[in-house]
Amino acid sequence: TIDLGGCFGLSNDGVIALATHCANLTSIDLSGCEWLADDGVIALAIHCAKLTIMNLGSCDNLTDAAVIALATHCANLTSIDL
């Protein structure tokens, strides 16, 4: 579980690095991370297939591509906040 909610300076590069090195991640809160874009969420979906909970509230730069990646790669996802 990682809570990065409200980390306004967090970039896609940081999220991609996290996804690449934390494959066993099951829960992540990225709410309010204003600069987060599809690339970061797609990396999480691809590398962290064990995700069950994801909070992306107030992440206004995300598009359908991020949601499709989560639906495709995260079969264990039980809770998502957009």
Side-chain angles (χ1 to χ4, degrees), residues 4-29:
L4 297 171
C7 292
F8 303 114
L10 184 65
S11 71
N12 275 326
D13 291 340
V15 174
I16 291 168
L18 184 70
T20 303
H21 298 289
C22 299
N24 291 320
L25 190 63
T26 59
S27 175
I28 189 163
D29 181 352

Side-chain angles (χ1 to χ4, degrees), residues 6 8-9 20 33 46 59 69 75 77 79:
F8 303 114
T20 303
C33 294
I46 291 170
C59 295
L77 201 59
S79 175

Side-chain angles (χ1 to χ4, degrees), residues 29-44:
D29 181 352
L30 294 168
S31 60
C33 294
E34 298 173 347
W35 297 103
L36 183 64
D38 290 340
D39 292 348
V41 176
I42 291 169
L44 284 167

Side-chain angles (χ1 to χ4, degrees), residues 60-75:
D60 298 331
N61 293 321
L62 301 179
T63 70
D64 289 348
V67 177
I68 291 168
L70 290 170
T72 302
H73 297 285
C74 297

